[in-house]
Amino acid sequence: MNSPTPLEQLVAKTVSPRQVSIGLPAAQSPEERRFPMTPEAAAMLVDHGFTVKMQSGASASIHFSDEAYSRHGVEIVDRNEAFRSDMVVYLPAVSEADAHKLKRGAFLLGFAHAENRSPRALKVLLQKSVTAVALDEVTDDSGNHPFADILREIDGRAAVAIASALLADAVHGKGILLGGIAGVVPCELTIIGADLAAAAAARSALGLGAVVRLFDNDIYRLREVSAAIGSGVIASALHPRVIRSALHTADIVIGCSLKRKFEVSSDEVADMKRGVITFDLDRSRSPMFPSMPTVDLALASPCDNDPEARRVCYVNAGGAVPRTAAMALSNALLTLFDDILVADSALNAVRLLPGLRCAAYTFLGKPVSADVARQLGMRAVDINLLLQFS
């Protein structure tokens, strides 16, 4: 009787990232209430084999407890342990003290915050050869900015939702609806700038029955937004007399990004309605309403202000809805971590993904962003050259 002959058989082999840890420290910047990850998203990363370490209390701003994360396999640790992870997701600009907590060769993901970057913290990142990536500058294969775009959309929708609530407030507002009531003239919304935030705001306001006017000097952007929204929006170039007339009758004014600097003068602000609700959704270049005091919605409620002094400009609209931002950011981060997992390491991901590579500002101990190099008084190094010799 012949004995069985053993045969070769292919065995699936997978690369497990279990040794790779992801740290989620708590944001200590008061104006940054957003948190990058929900418990469900963290659970998916744990299922993929990552070790997720979250600082205790870090998710309080989005009303999730530590227990909600620990149930999904997340390790609840102190701040030092969270920053000692292989990859750290920290949305505000990192401080010098926190930069010292990072391990050598760590991978740091956060928002650009170019105006808040500490030169001393940047020097620590270089000394520790930290690869720092600005999430809002990451692009996908189509050239879109998945993180920045989703935040712009949230800003636009949040601005209209907040403005609608303020107008309907019978004590602090006018006690009126945006529109949609037969026989009642609807409110007017004037939007300056035809970007993604503007499109989101216009779509929300039109759905509530408001009259929406959209201004931009880029006719192609106006055409694109008008085509996406439909004929309900009134689109116009930024002619001085037309925009002044629109500002004079508007109940809500929202400033968005423009390719060229644009400011609403103090005289034009004085000509606006009493109780007008104003937002500036893009302060990266300069304020659109420089004569108006600002209220950061991540720091204060709109109703905290004196109802008799309503001539304020609200900023950081997305900061008022941090949980929505967390859910949206989680979706984008999961896609990014999947790409890193396929690339087998963060370093390979920077090498293989042009959209990630262009968002890096420190790499292998060198400044690879012109802005960062200028801030440090150094010469920027081409990241592609560093990758060739790494």
Side-chain angles (χ1 to χ4, degrees), residues 93-125:
V94 67
S95 67
E96 181 186 5
D98 286 334
H100 279 293
K101 295 181 176 70
L102 291 164
K103 68 192 316 185
R104 185 170 186 81
F107 193 65
L108 176 64
L109 296 167
F111 293 140
H113 290 298
E115 68 283 358
N116 295 327
R117 285 175 181 158
S118 162
R120 299 178 68 173
L122 290 171
K123 289 180 181 178
V124 175
L125 297 183

PDB file of all heavy atoms in Angstrom, residues 93-125:
ATOM      1  N   ALA A  93      -0.860  73.076  15.237  1.00  0.00           N
ATOM      2  CA  ALA A  93       0.592  73.202  15.067  1.00  0.00           C
ATOM      3  C   ALA A  93       1.279  72.638  16.302  1.00  0.00           C
ATOM      4  O   ALA A  93       0.905  72.970  17.435  1.00  0.00           O
ATOM      5  CB  ALA A  93       0.974  74.663  14.854  1.00  0.00           C
ATOM      6  N   VAL A  94       2.276  71.787  16.117  1.00  0.00           N
ATOM      7  CA  VAL A  94       2.929  71.136  17.249  1.00  0.00           C
ATOM      8  C   VAL A  94       3.819  72.144  17.978  1.00  0.00           C
ATOM      9  O   VAL A  94       4.473  72.987  17.365  1.00  0.00           O
ATOM     10  CB  VAL A  94       3.739  69.914  16.763  1.00  0.00           C
ATOM     11  CG1 VAL A  94       4.922  70.345  15.905  1.00  0.00           C
ATOM     12  CG2 VAL A  94       4.213  69.068  17.932  1.00  0.00           C
ATOM     13  N   SER A  95       3.805  72.080  19.297  1.00  0.00           N
ATOM     14  CA  SER A  95       4.637  72.969  20.106  1.00  0.00           C
ATOM     15  C   SER A  95       6.036  72.382  20.258  1.00  0.00           C
ATOM     16  O   SER A  95       6.273  71.207  19.963  1.00  0.00           O
ATOM     17  CB  SER A  95       4.009  73.172  21.486  1.00  0.00           C
ATOM     18  OG  SER A  95       4.036  71.952  22.224  1.00  0.00           O
ATOM     19  N   GLU A  96       6.960  73.212  20.755  1.00  0.00           N
ATOM     20  CA  GLU A  96       8.321  72.717  20.958  1.00  0.00           C
ATOM     21  C   GLU A  96       8.343  71.582  21.979  1.00  0.00           C
ATOM     22  O   GLU A  96       9.040  70.570  21.797  1.00  0.00           O
ATOM     23  CB  GLU A  96       9.226  73.853  21.421  1.00  0.00           C
ATOM     24  CG  GLU A  96      10.676  73.427  21.629  1.00  0.00           C
ATOM     25  CD  GLU A  96      11.532  74.525  22.220  1.00  0.00           C
ATOM     26  OE1 GLU A  96      10.989  75.590  22.559  1.00  0.00           O
ATOM     27  OE2 GLU A  96      12.759  74.305  22.356  1.00  0.00           O
ATOM     28  N   ALA A  97       7.562  71.726  23.056  1.00  0.00           N
ATOM     29  CA  ALA A  97       7.539  70.689  24.095  1.00  0.00           C
ATOM     30  C   ALA A  97       7.023  69.371  23.540  1.00  0.00           C
ATOM     31  O   ALA A  97       7.572  68.295  23.834  1.00  0.00           O
ATOM     32  CB  ALA A  97       6.674  71.150  25.262  1.00  0.00           C
ATOM     33  N   ASP A  98       5.974  69.425  22.729  1.00  0.00           N
ATOM     34  CA  ASP A  98       5.434  68.200  22.153  1.00  0.00           C
ATOM     35  C   ASP A  98       6.351  67.628  21.079  1.00  0.00           C
ATOM     36  O   ASP A  98       6.419  66.411  20.893  1.00  0.00           O
ATOM     37  CB  ASP A  98       4.039  68.463  21.572  1.00  0.00           C
ATOM     38  CG  ASP A  98       2.974  68.628  22.652  1.00  0.00           C
ATOM     39  OD1 ASP A  98       3.175  68.082  23.748  1.00  0.00           O
ATOM     40  OD2 ASP A  98       1.958  69.297  22.389  1.00  0.00           O
ATOM     41  N   ALA A  99       7.053  68.497  20.371  1.00  0.00           N
ATOM     42  CA  ALA A  99       7.991  68.016  19.351  1.00  0.00           C
ATOM     43  C   ALA A  99       9.089  67.172  19.996  1.00  0.00           C
ATOM     44  O   ALA A  99       9.548  66.173  19.433  1.00  0.00           O
ATOM     45  CB  ALA A  99       8.597  69.193  18.594  1.00  0.00           C
ATOM     46  N   HIS A 100       9.498  67.557  21.198  1.00  0.00           N
ATOM     47  CA  HIS A 100      10.518  66.781  21.914  1.00  0.00           C
ATOM     48  C   HIS A 100      10.001  65.391  22.305  1.00  0.00           C
ATOM     49  O   HIS A 100      10.797  64.464  22.485  1.00  0.00           O
ATOM     50  CB  HIS A 100      10.973  67.535  23.163  1.00  0.00           C
ATOM     51  CG  HIS A 100      11.985  68.609  22.883  1.00  0.00           C
ATOM     52  ND1 HIS A 100      13.274  68.330  22.445  1.00  0.00           N
ATOM     53  CD2 HIS A 100      11.896  69.960  22.981  1.00  0.00           C
ATOM     54  CE1 HIS A 100      13.935  69.472  22.289  1.00  0.00           C
ATOM     55  NE2 HIS A 100      13.129  70.470  22.610  1.00  0.00           N
ATOM     56  N   LYS A 101       8.687  65.237  22.434  1.00  0.00           N
ATOM     57  CA  LYS A 101       8.114  63.950  22.816  1.00  0.00           C
ATOM     58  C   LYS A 101       8.135  62.938  21.668  1.00  0.00           C
ATOM     59  O   LYS A 101       8.044  61.729  21.886  1.00  0.00           O
ATOM     60  CB  LYS A 101       6.677  64.135  23.305  1.00  0.00           C
ATOM     61  CG  LYS A 101       6.523  64.955  24.584  1.00  0.00           C
ATOM     62  CD  LYS A 101       5.057  65.040  24.978  1.00  0.00           C
ATOM     63  CE  LYS A 101       4.852  65.774  26.295  1.00  0.00           C
ATOM     64  NZ  LYS A 101       5.133  67.206  26.201  1.00  0.00           N
ATOM     65  N   LEU A 102       8.218  63.425  20.438  1.00  0.00           N
ATOM     66  CA  LEU A 102       8.183  62.537  19.272  1.00  0.00           C
ATOM     67  C   LEU A 102       9.432  61.659  19.227  1.00  0.00           C
ATOM     68  O   LEU A 102      10.531  62.104  19.561  1.00  0.00           O
ATOM     69  CB  LEU A 102       8.081  63.360  17.985  1.00  0.00           C
ATOM     70  CG  LEU A 102       6.752  64.098  17.750  1.00  0.00           C
ATOM     71  CD1 LEU A 102       6.931  65.169  16.675  1.00  0.00           C
ATOM     72  CD2 LEU A 102       5.659  63.126  17.349  1.00  0.00           C
ATOM     73  N   LYS A 103       9.262  60.431  18.782  1.00  0.00           N
ATOM     74  CA  LYS A 103      10.411  59.545  18.636  1.00  0.00           C
ATOM     75  C   LYS A 103      11.170  59.898  17.355  1.00  0.00           C
ATOM     76  O   LYS A 103      10.611  60.501  16.432  1.00  0.00           O
ATOM     77  CB  LYS A 103       9.966  58.085  18.612  1.00  0.00           C
ATOM     78  CG  LYS A 103       9.174  57.709  17.388  1.00  0.00           C
ATOM     79  CD  LYS A 103       8.482  56.347  17.488  1.00  0.00           C
ATOM     80  CE  LYS A 103       9.324  55.259  18.057  1.00  0.00           C
ATOM     81  NZ  LYS A 103       8.638  53.944  18.024  1.00  0.00           N
ATOM     82  N   ARG A 104      12.397  59.536  17.283  1.00  0.00           N
ATOM     83  CA  ARG A 104      13.209  59.831  16.110  1.00  0.00           C
ATOM     84  C   ARG A 104      12.651  59.076  14.905  1.00  0.00           C
ATOM     85  O   ARG A 104      12.342  57.888  14.978  1.00  0.00           O
ATOM     86  CB  ARG A 104      14.659  59.434  16.347  1.00  0.00           C
ATOM     87  CG  ARG A 104      15.588  59.834  15.213  1.00  0.00           C
ATOM     88  CD  ARG A 104      17.039  59.646  15.589  1.00  0.00           C
ATOM     89  NE  ARG A 104      17.900  60.171  14.549  1.00  0.00           N
ATOM     90  CZ  ARG A 104      18.220  61.445  14.388  1.00  0.00           C
ATOM     91  NH1 ARG A 104      17.742  62.332  15.244  1.00  0.00           N
ATOM     92  NH2 ARG A 104      19.009  61.838  13.417  1.00  0.00           N
ATOM     93  N   GLY A 105      12.508  59.796  13.778  1.00  0.00           N
ATOM     94  CA  GLY A 105      12.004  59.166  12.567  1.00  0.00           C
ATOM     95  C   GLY A 105      10.501  58.984  12.542  1.00  0.00           C
ATOM     96  O   GLY A 105       9.978  58.259  11.687  1.00  0.00           O
ATOM     97  N   ALA A 106       9.771  59.659  13.440  1.00  0.00           N
ATOM     98  CA  ALA A 106       8.316  59.523  13.503  1.00  0.00           C
ATOM     99  C   ALA A 106       7.664  60.167  12.280  1.00  0.00           C
ATOM    100  O   ALA A 106       8.279  60.943  11.537  1.00  0.00           O
ATOM    101  CB  ALA A 106       7.780  60.153  14.779  1.00  0.00           C
ATOM    102  N   PHE A 107       6.391  59.833  12.091  1.00  0.00           N
ATOM    103  CA  PHE A 107       5.592  60.353  10.984  1.00  0.00           C
ATOM    104  C   PHE A 107       4.484  61.188  11.592  1.00  0.00           C
ATOM    105  O   PHE A 107       3.629  60.671  12.320  1.00  0.00           O
ATOM    106  CB  PHE A 107       5.027  59.181  10.177  1.00  0.00           C
ATOM    107  CG  PHE A 107       4.442  59.555   8.851  1.00  0.00           C
ATOM    108  CD1 PHE A 107       5.228  60.063   7.840  1.00  0.00           C
ATOM    109  CD2 PHE A 107       3.086  59.381   8.596  1.00  0.00           C
ATOM    110  CE1 PHE A 107       4.698  60.393   6.605  1.00  0.00           C
ATOM    111  CE2 PHE A 107       2.536  59.702   7.372  1.00  0.00           C
ATOM    112  CZ  PHE A 107       3.338  60.213   6.373  1.00  0.00           C
ATOM    113  N   LEU A 108       4.488  62.510  11.351  1.00  0.00           N
ATOM    114  CA  LEU A 108       3.552  63.449  11.979  1.00  0.00           C
ATOM    115  C   LEU A 108       2.558  63.962  10.947  1.00  0.00           C
ATOM    116  O   LEU A 108       2.941  64.513   9.918  1.00  0.00           O
ATOM    117  CB  LEU A 108       4.319  64.616  12.601  1.00  0.00           C
ATOM    118  CG  LEU A 108       3.493  65.742  13.222  1.00  0.00           C
ATOM    119  CD1 LEU A 108       2.697  65.234  14.426  1.00  0.00           C
ATOM    120  CD2 LEU A 108       4.394  66.912  13.625  1.00  0.00           C
ATOM    121  N   LEU A 109       1.273  63.790  11.238  1.00  0.00           N
ATOM    122  CA  LEU A 109       0.209  64.254  10.360  1.00  0.00           C
ATOM    123  C   LEU A 109      -0.607  65.321  11.079  1.00  0.00           C
ATOM    124  O   LEU A 109      -1.049  65.117  12.214  1.00  0.00           O
ATOM    125  CB  LEU A 109      -0.712  63.094   9.968  1.00  0.00           C
ATOM    126  CG  LEU A 109      -0.098  61.964   9.139  1.00  0.00           C
ATOM    127  CD1 LEU A 109      -1.023  60.759   9.118  1.00  0.00           C
ATOM    128  CD2 LEU A 109       0.166  62.433   7.717  1.00  0.00           C
ATOM    129  N   GLY A 110      -0.807  66.465  10.437  1.00  0.00           N
ATOM    130  CA  GLY A 110      -1.605  67.539  11.029  1.00  0.00           C
ATOM    131  C   GLY A 110      -1.935  68.563   9.965  1.00  0.00           C
ATOM    132  O   GLY A 110      -1.604  68.397   8.792  1.00  0.00           O
ATOM    133  N   PHE A 111      -2.585  69.642  10.357  1.00  0.00           N
ATOM    134  CA  PHE A 111      -2.887  70.714   9.420  1.00  0.00           C
ATOM    135  C   PHE A 111      -1.692  71.653   9.304  1.00  0.00           C
ATOM    136  O   PHE A 111      -0.838  71.705  10.189  1.00  0.00           O
ATOM    137  CB  PHE A 111      -4.132  71.487   9.858  1.00  0.00           C
ATOM    138  CG  PHE A 111      -5.395  70.672   9.779  1.00  0.00           C
ATOM    139  CD1 PHE A 111      -6.367  70.768  10.757  1.00  0.00           C
ATOM    140  CD2 PHE A 111      -5.604  69.793   8.739  1.00  0.00           C
ATOM    141  CE1 PHE A 111      -7.524  70.015  10.695  1.00  0.00           C
ATOM    142  CE2 PHE A 111      -6.758  69.031   8.652  1.00  0.00           C
ATOM    143  CZ  PHE A 111      -7.716  69.138   9.639  1.00  0.00           C
ATOM    144  N   ALA A 112      -1.650  72.412   8.221  1.00  0.00           N
ATOM    145  CA  ALA A 112      -0.484  73.256   7.941  1.00  0.00           C
ATOM    146  C   ALA A 112      -0.257  74.301   9.039  1.00  0.00           C
ATOM    147  O   ALA A 112       0.832  74.396   9.605  1.00  0.00           O
ATOM    148  CB  ALA A 112      -0.642  73.943   6.588  1.00  0.00           C
ATOM    149  N   HIS A 113      -1.279  75.111   9.350  1.00  0.00           N
ATOM    150  CA  HIS A 113      -1.166  76.156  10.376  1.00  0.00           C
ATOM    151  C   HIS A 113       0.144  76.942  10.190  1.00  0.00           C
ATOM    152  O   HIS A 113       0.901  77.151  11.151  1.00  0.00           O
ATOM    153  CB  HIS A 113      -1.204  75.557  11.779  1.00  0.00           C
ATOM    154  CG  HIS A 113      -2.541  75.010  12.171  1.00  0.00           C
ATOM    155  ND1 HIS A 113      -3.667  75.788  12.268  1.00  0.00           N
ATOM    156  CD2 HIS A 113      -2.932  73.748  12.482  1.00  0.00           C
ATOM    157  CE1 HIS A 113      -4.698  75.039  12.630  1.00  0.00           C
ATOM    158  NE2 HIS A 113      -4.287  73.799  12.754  1.00  0.00           N
ATOM    159  N   ALA A 114       0.394  77.380   8.960  1.00  0.00           N
ATOM    160  CA  ALA A 114       1.671  78.037   8.664  1.00  0.00           C
ATOM    161  C   ALA A 114       1.913  79.251   9.555  1.00  0.00           C
ATOM    162  O   ALA A 114       3.048  79.516   9.968  1.00  0.00           O
ATOM    163  CB  ALA A 114       1.701  78.446   7.193  1.00  0.00           C
ATOM    164  N   GLU A 115       0.829  79.975   9.885  1.00  0.00           N
ATOM    165  CA  GLU A 115       0.997  81.191  10.686  1.00  0.00           C
ATOM    166  C   GLU A 115       1.287  80.890  12.153  1.00  0.00           C
ATOM    167  O   GLU A 115       1.741  81.764  12.890  1.00  0.00           O
ATOM    168  CB  GLU A 115      -0.261  82.073  10.574  1.00  0.00           C
ATOM    169  CG  GLU A 115      -1.512  81.513  11.226  1.00  0.00           C
ATOM    170  CD  GLU A 115      -2.198  80.418  10.425  1.00  0.00           C
ATOM    171  OE1 GLU A 115      -1.719  80.093   9.320  1.00  0.00           O
ATOM    172  OE2 GLU A 115      -3.209  79.876  10.911  1.00  0.00           O
ATOM    173  N   ASN A 116       1.006  79.650  12.590  1.00  0.00           N
ATOM    174  CA  ASN A 116       1.199  79.291  14.003  1.00  0.00           C
ATOM    175  C   ASN A 116       2.395  78.376  14.245  1.00  0.00           C
ATOM    176  O   ASN A 116       2.628  77.960  15.378  1.00  0.00           O
ATOM    177  CB  ASN A 116      -0.069  78.609  14.542  1.00  0.00           C
ATOM    178  CG  ASN A 116      -1.263  79.544  14.566  1.00  0.00           C
ATOM    179  OD1 ASN A 116      -1.122  80.736  14.784  1.00  0.00           O
ATOM    180  ND2 ASN A 116      -2.441  79.008  14.309  1.00  0.00           N
ATOM    181  N   ARG A 117       3.129  78.036  13.202  1.00  0.00           N
ATOM    182  CA  ARG A 117       4.268  77.140  13.385  1.00  0.00           C
ATOM    183  C   ARG A 117       5.363  77.812  14.212  1.00  0.00           C
ATOM    184  O   ARG A 117       5.730  78.951  13.967  1.00  0.00           O
ATOM    185  CB  ARG A 117       4.842  76.727  12.026  1.00  0.00           C
ATOM    186  CG  ARG A 117       4.003  75.711  11.277  1.00  0.00           C
ATOM    187  CD  ARG A 117       4.606  75.479   9.900  1.00  0.00           C
ATOM    188  NE  ARG A 117       3.831  74.526   9.122  1.00  0.00           N
ATOM    189  CZ  ARG A 117       3.860  74.458   7.798  1.00  0.00           C
ATOM    190  NH1 ARG A 117       4.631  75.296   7.120  1.00  0.00           N
ATOM    191  NH2 ARG A 117       3.136  73.565   7.161  1.00  0.00           N
ATOM    192  N   SER A 118       5.872  77.064  15.162  1.00  0.00           N
ATOM    193  CA  SER A 118       6.967  77.567  15.999  1.00  0.00           C
ATOM    194  C   SER A 118       8.300  77.205  15.349  1.00  0.00           C
ATOM    195  O   SER A 118       8.565  76.024  15.097  1.00  0.00           O
ATOM    196  CB  SER A 118       6.878  76.946  17.392  1.00  0.00           C
ATOM    197  OG  SER A 118       8.092  77.075  18.077  1.00  0.00           O
ATOM    198  N   PRO A 119       9.164  78.190  15.065  1.00  0.00           N
ATOM    199  CA  PRO A 119      10.480  77.870  14.496  1.00  0.00           C
ATOM    200  C   PRO A 119      11.272  76.910  15.373  1.00  0.00           C
ATOM    201  O   PRO A 119      11.977  76.030  14.868  1.00  0.00           O
ATOM    202  CB  PRO A 119      11.160  79.241  14.387  1.00  0.00           C
ATOM    203  CG  PRO A 119      10.028  80.219  14.296  1.00  0.00           C
ATOM    204  CD  PRO A 119       8.942  79.643  15.155  1.00  0.00           C
ATOM    205  N   ARG A 120      11.156  77.055  16.684  1.00  0.00           N
ATOM    206  CA  ARG A 120      11.890  76.168  17.584  1.00  0.00           C
ATOM    207  C   ARG A 120      11.357  74.749  17.510  1.00  0.00           C
ATOM    208  O   ARG A 120      12.118  73.780  17.572  1.00  0.00           O
ATOM    209  CB  ARG A 120      11.809  76.708  19.014  1.00  0.00           C
ATOM    210  CG  ARG A 120      12.437  78.097  19.152  1.00  0.00           C
ATOM    211  CD  ARG A 120      12.322  78.656  20.549  1.00  0.00           C
ATOM    212  NE  ARG A 120      13.126  77.915  21.506  1.00  0.00           N
ATOM    213  CZ  ARG A 120      13.308  78.287  22.764  1.00  0.00           C
ATOM    214  NH1 ARG A 120      12.745  79.416  23.212  1.00  0.00           N
ATOM    215  NH2 ARG A 120      14.043  77.567  23.581  1.00  0.00           N
ATOM    216  N   ALA A 121      10.039  74.614  17.353  1.00  0.00           N
ATOM    217  CA  ALA A 121       9.460  73.283  17.192  1.00  0.00           C
ATOM    218  C   ALA A 121       9.896  72.666  15.867  1.00  0.00           C
ATOM    219  O   ALA A 121      10.198  71.465  15.788  1.00  0.00           O
ATOM    220  CB  ALA A 121       7.935  73.366  17.263  1.00  0.00           C
ATOM    221  N   LEU A 122       9.952  73.477  14.818  1.00  0.00           N
ATOM    222  CA  LEU A 122      10.389  72.974  13.514  1.00  0.00           C
ATOM    223  C   LEU A 122      11.831  72.475  13.575  1.00  0.00           C
ATOM    224  O   LEU A 122      12.172  71.452  12.969  1.00  0.00           O
ATOM    225  CB  LEU A 122      10.247  74.071  12.460  1.00  0.00           C
ATOM    226  CG  LEU A 122       8.818  74.465  12.067  1.00  0.00           C
ATOM    227  CD1 LEU A 122       8.831  75.700  11.181  1.00  0.00           C
ATOM    228  CD2 LEU A 122       8.112  73.308  11.374  1.00  0.00           C
ATOM    229  N   LYS A 123      12.670  73.183  14.312  1.00  0.00           N
ATOM    230  CA  LYS A 123      14.066  72.750  14.440  1.00  0.00           C
ATOM    231  C   LYS A 123      14.162  71.402  15.146  1.00  0.00           C
ATOM    232  O   LYS A 123      14.997  70.558  14.789  1.00  0.00           O
ATOM    233  CB  LYS A 123      14.870  73.810  15.199  1.00  0.00           C
ATOM    234  CG  LYS A 123      15.104  75.082  14.396  1.00  0.00           C
ATOM    235  CD  LYS A 123      15.900  76.106  15.206  1.00  0.00           C
ATOM    236  CE  LYS A 123      16.114  77.382  14.390  1.00  0.00           C
ATOM    237  NZ  LYS A 123      16.853  78.407  15.170  1.00  0.00           N
ATOM    238  N   VAL A 124      13.271  71.174  16.126  1.00  0.00           N
ATOM    239  CA  VAL A 124      13.257  69.877  16.809  1.00  0.00           C
ATOM    240  C   VAL A 124      12.829  68.777  15.841  1.00  0.00           C
ATOM    241  O   VAL A 124      13.396  67.675  15.844  1.00  0.00           O
ATOM    242  CB  VAL A 124      12.318  69.923  18.038  1.00  0.00           C
ATOM    243  CG1 VAL A 124      12.209  68.535  18.676  1.00  0.00           C
ATOM    244  CG2 VAL A 124      12.809  70.933  19.055  1.00  0.00           C
ATOM    245  N   LEU A 125      11.843  69.076  14.993  1.00  0.00           N
ATOM    246  CA  LEU A 125      11.408  68.085  14.000  1.00  0.00           C
ATOM    247  C   LEU A 125      12.563  67.710  13.068  1.00  0.00           C
ATOM    248  O   LEU A 125      12.733  66.536  12.709  1.00  0.00           O
ATOM    249  CB  LEU A 125      10.235  68.634  13.181  1.00  0.00           C
ATOM    250  CG  LEU A 125       8.944  68.946  13.928  1.00  0.00           C
ATOM    251  CD1 LEU A 125       7.865  69.421  12.955  1.00  0.00           C
ATOM    252  CD2 LEU A 125       8.443  67.742  14.709  1.00  0.00           C
TER     253      LEU A 125
END
